[in-house]
């Protein structure tokens, strides 16, 4: 079966292939850097990372753009309150976001770029819309006239035809009940930052940046547009109106939306105040790979319920896979191959791939891997796992890890590198060989203090990080 995604626009699962050649042109709405990202935001960005990796696994190249929203209502409010310029205020949170992404091993999009560096592209788009009669001015601001775009509502599948013409909304984020003509360009207010431009002085509304940046880099029709589910309305609906209002062409062929991460039965949200940052979770001692695993393990269209226990369960799952990899790499198995295990490895690979092709069903993909690991471990204990069974098993793990990327432990800041650990283990082996047990013990203790645990087996010393 081919690669397929659920498309919010058509409300159907559809086969995916890029429009032109082998390159997928993709746009993701990035973070609003008014505060730290919470693990809910990072769930959406982890999904984007899985999507990137899976598209590449399937042989596609990527041209992926992600914006950083560094000007909007909330940022302006916070920057003013903190007595800082926009840049001074947003820089710290942009930096924090990049650090969080690195900790979670999220690949950098080909272009990750702030909105404020694209004001001319936004102005050009607004001027184009104005020339087409899709806008009107009011008190120095420019609004999008929804009545000029009869398809308004096609993404959120809502009938907005009853909206009173000329009624306006000035905030960037609002509910369906408040659907109105929205601001493309906002008149300057005392004390607020603004830009001089051919459409007058002002600053962009939130929605225009994504249309402008996406089309600037990727052309008029994108292959995939991604965001969290809360962005369907109004943000993506407005992006469609802005882009298609100008070009008359479909703005994005596939719209993919990630469901929310839930905390105590409420959507995790900075505005609601019920949020946990990645730093917060990591300070409890969980390795970042466990959080990556947790965020990746629930298929993106299902809600993910974040509880105090699930980072622990995720850490255990990662540990189980690492132990299996260690066995494969260090144990000595009898010569030959158990045919049934070769078949099982092949079946696991197929099921893994078919599950990922099926709208990135990560839960099924993981089940395929874990089922194989369980059977293989049992076979190892029973002496039925043979040396020729090792390569297909390692191949399965390698494929899994190309996407999930959790097997390699993160280097802890200030901790020992892998090479340093190996060197100490070699030194300990030499000390033991010359019966210098005091020195051998000292090395074991030193490693333990750094969170490295040793296990002596008949095939040598294995180690893992605590
Ligand atoms: P923001 O920084 O508010 O612009 O949001 C960044 C991304 O996180 C957007 O794609 C949002 O849709 C997404 N998002 C916001 N809250 C959650 C949540 N609780 N779970 C998953 N994604 C979320
Ligand atoms: Zn956007």
């Amino acid at each position: 079966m081919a690669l397929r995604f659920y498309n919010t626009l058509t409300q159907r699962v559809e086969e995916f292939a890029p429009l032109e050649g082998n390159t997928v042109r993709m746009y993701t709405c990035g973070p609003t850097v008014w505060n730290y990202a919470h693990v809910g935001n990072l769930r959406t960005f982890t999904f984007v990372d899985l999507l990137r990796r899976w598209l590449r696994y399937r042989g596609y190249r990527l041209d992926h753009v992600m914006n950083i929203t560094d000007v909007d209502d909330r940022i302006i409010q916070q920057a003013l309150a903190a007595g800082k310029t926009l840049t001074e205020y947003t820089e710290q949170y942009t930096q924090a976001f990049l650090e969080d992404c690195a900790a979670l091993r999220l690949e950098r999009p080909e272009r990750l770029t702030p909105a404020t560096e694209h004001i001319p592209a936004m102005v050009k788009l607004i001027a184009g819309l104005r020339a087409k009669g899709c806008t009107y001015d009011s008190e120095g601001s420019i609004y999008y006239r929804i009545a000029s775009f009869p398809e308004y509502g096609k993404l959120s599948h809502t009938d907005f035809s009853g909206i009173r013409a000329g009624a306006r909304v000035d905030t960037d984020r609002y509910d369906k009940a408040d659907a109105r003509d929205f601001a493309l360009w906002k008149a300057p207010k005392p004390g607020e930052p603004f830009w001089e431009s051919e459409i007058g002085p002002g600053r962009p509304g939130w929605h225009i940046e994504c249309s402008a940046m996406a089309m600037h880099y990727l052309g008029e029709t994108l292959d995939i547009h991604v965001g969290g589910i809360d962005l369907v309305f109004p943000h993506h609906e407005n992006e469609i109106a802005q882009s298609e209002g100008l070009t008359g062409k479909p703005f994005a062929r596939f719209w993919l939306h990630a469901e929310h991460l839930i905390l105590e039965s409420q959507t995790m949200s900075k505005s609601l105040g019920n949020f946990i940052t990645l730093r917060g979770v990591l300070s409890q001692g969980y390795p970042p790979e466990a959080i990556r695993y947790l965020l990746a393990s629930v298929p993106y269209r299902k809600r993910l319920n974040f509880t105090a226990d699930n980072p622990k369960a995720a850490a255990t799952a990662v540990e189980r896979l690492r132990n299996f990899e260690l066995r494969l790499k260090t144990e000595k198995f009898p010569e030959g191959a158990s045919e049934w295990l070769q078949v099982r490895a092949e079946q696991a690979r197929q099921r893994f791939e078919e599950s990922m092709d099926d709208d990135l069903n990560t839960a099924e993909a993981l089940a395929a891997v874990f089922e194989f690991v369980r059977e293989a471990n049992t076979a190892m204990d029973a002496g039925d796992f043979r040396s020729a069974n090792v390569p297909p098993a390692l191949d399965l793990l390698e494929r899994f890890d190309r996407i999930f990327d959790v097997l390699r432990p993160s280097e802890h800041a200030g901790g020992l590198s892998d090479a340093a650990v190996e060197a100490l283990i070699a030194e300990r082996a030499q000390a033991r060989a010359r019966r210098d047990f005091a020195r051998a013990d000292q090395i074991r203790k030193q490693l333990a203090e750094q969170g490295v645990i040793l296990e002596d087996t008949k095939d040598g010393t294995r180690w893992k990080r605590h």
Side-chain angles (χ1 to χ4, degrees):
M1 285 276 266
L3 173 58
R4 53 215 186 274
F5 299 126
Y6 179 83
N7 188 349
T8 307
L9 186 64
T10 58
Q11 297 183 302
R12 279 203 304 269
V13 176
E14 295 173 31
E15 273 190 28
F16 175 79
L19 193 59
E20 280 169 29
N22 202 36
T23 302
V24 177
R25 283 167 305 119
M26 176 156 102
Y27 185 87
T28 304
C29 296
T32 307
V33 282
W34 69 298
N35 204 324
Y36 291 105
H38 56 60
V39 289
N41 301 133
L42 293 168
R43 186 216 183 175
T44 292
F45 297 119
T46 303
F47 155 63
V48 173
D49 180 70
L50 298 175
L51 176 61
R52 282 182 57 92
R53 289 172 187 246
W54 191 250
L55 287 165
R56 270 219 315 281
Y57 187 104
R58 281 310 190 201
Y60 294 120
R61 291 163 54 91
L62 287 162
D63 191 358
H64 176 198
V65 177
M66 182 158 100
N67 67 314
I68 292 179
T69 299
D70 59 348
V71 52
D72 87 336
D73 298 342
R74 294 178 302 187
I75 292 173
I76 290 173
Q77 266 174 25
Q78 301 284 326
L80 281 178
K84 293 184 171 173
T85 64
L86 275 192
T87 318
E88 282 166 357
Y89 183 77
T90 55
E91 219 164 29
Q92 55 189 328
Y93 295 117
T94 300
Q95 197 50 41
F97 176 71
L98 296 178
E99 286 166 14
D100 289 349
C101 290
L104 289 177
R105 302 180 182 181
L106 308 186
E107 291 183 352
R108 275 269 183 125
E110 279 62 33
R111 283 178 271 233
L112 175 66
T113 172
T116 51
E117 287 180 16
H118 298 78
I119 303 289
M122 299 179 214
V123 168
K124 191 170 141 217
L125 177 47
I126 296 169
L129 286 168
R130 181 187 250 175
K132 286 209 145 189
C134 303
T135 73
Y136 58 88
D137 296 14
S138 176
E139 293 167 21
S141 295
I142 305 176
Y143 293 88
Y144 189 95
R145 191 193 303 278
I146 291 182
S148 72
F149 190 68
E151 291 173 88
Y152 193 78
K154 69 179 174 180
L155 184 70
S156 55
H157 302 277
T158 315
D159 180 6
F160 290 113
S161 56
I163 292 177
R164 191 162 55 84
R168 294 183 296 277
V169 51
D170 281 299
T171 51
D172 288 330
R173 293 165 202 253
Y174 50 89
D175 293 331
K176 279 184 190 171
D178 295 316
R180 308 266 194 284
D181 293 342
F182 58 92
L184 297 166
W185 191 248
K186 301 187 179 192
K189 287 200 195 126
E192 290 193 357
F194 65 94
W195 284 262
E196 292 290 352
S197 81
E198 63 178 89
I199 52 173
R203 65 168 173 100
W206 170 40
H207 313 293
I208 196 70
E209 70 186 59
C210 291
S211 290
M213 293 167 81
M215 293 200 292
H216 176 71
Y217 289 112
L218 301 171
E220 292 175 340
T221 300
L222 324 175
D223 289 308
I224 304 180
H225 196 310
V226 197
I229 192 83
D230 55 302
L231 299 189
V232 174
F233 185 87
H235 185 54
H236 290 164
E237 202 73 76
N238 292 353
E239 280 190 39
I240 290 178
Q242 294 164 157
S243 307
E244 300 189 4
L246 182 76
T247 68
K249 300 194 183 125
F251 175 44
R253 300 166 57 231
F254 281 76
W255 287 88
L256 272 54
H257 291 102
E259 254 298 349
H260 272 182
L261 181 142
I262 306 292
L263 183 69
E264 287 154 8
S265 67
Q266 217 182 14
T267 284
M268 186 172 286
S269 143
K270 285 174 265 189
S271 324
L272 294 173
N274 69 329
F275 70 94
I276 298 178
T277 61
L278 181 62
R279 284 138 216 269
V281 187
L282 297 183
S283 69
Q284 294 168 23
Y286 294 109
E289 308 88 80
I291 308 306
R292 175 176 168 87
Y293 179 94
L294 167 61
L295 298 179
S297 61
V298 176
Y300 77 95
R301 288 209 298 127
K302 289 207 163 70
R303 289 178 165 198
L304 193 162
N305 207 0
F306 195 88
T307 66
D309 287 340
N310 52 19
K312 194 150 73 195
T316 307
V318 170
E319 200 62 11
R320 195 175 310 148
L321 294 171
R322 286 181 182 169
N323 284 336
F324 179 64
E325 187 188 33
L326 194 63
R327 284 190 90 172
L328 287 171
K329 287 185 171 166
T330 56
E331 275 187 32
K332 293 255 181 304
F333 302 105
E335 293 282 295
S338 285
E339 222 18 73
W340 70 274
L341 273 165
Q342 304 297 65
V343 172
R344 300 295 289 137
E346 173 59 15
Q347 286 171 338
R349 182 183 65 77
Q350 275 179 20
R351 188 176 154 205
F352 176 79
E353 291 180 347
E354 278 164 17
S355 306
M356 292 301 287
D357 276 346
D358 179 15
D359 199 23
L360 300 194
N361 188 340
T362 50
E364 267 297 308
L366 287 174
V369 173
F370 274 100
E371 196 176 303
F372 176 77
V373 169
R374 188 173 46 78
E375 285 184 337
N377 270 325
T378 309
M380 285 174 182
D381 297 340
D384 201 14
F385 196 97
R386 292 167 180 272
S387 58
N389 294 127
V390 172
L394 281 177
D395 177 65
L396 178 68
L397 282 186
E398 186 276 324
R399 286 166 190 272
F400 153 83
D401 211 41
R402 250 192 266 168
I403 311 303
F404 285 85
D405 199 358
V406 293
L407 292 181
R408 171 179 50 89
S410 296
E411 299 223 345
H412 300 272
L416 290 170
S417 68
D418 286 5
V421 172
E422 307 267 350
L424 281 168
I425 289 175
E427 193 191 326
R428 176 170 167 270
Q430 283 170 4
R432 296 214 305 181
R434 60 172 194 271
R435 309 190 68 76
D436 182 355
F437 296 113
R439 174 67 187 138
D441 260 6
Q442 196 184 26
I443 293 173
R444 175 189 278 278
K445 271 202 192 127
Q446 183 188 347
L447 287 167
E449 278 162 16
Q450 299 285 336
V452 175
I453 299 167
L454 304 185
E455 191 188 338
D456 293 315
T457 73
K458 63 183 186 341
D459 301 319
T461 303
R462 294 187 201 160
W463 65 274
K464 60 184 181 184
R465 293 189 195 271
H466 187 41

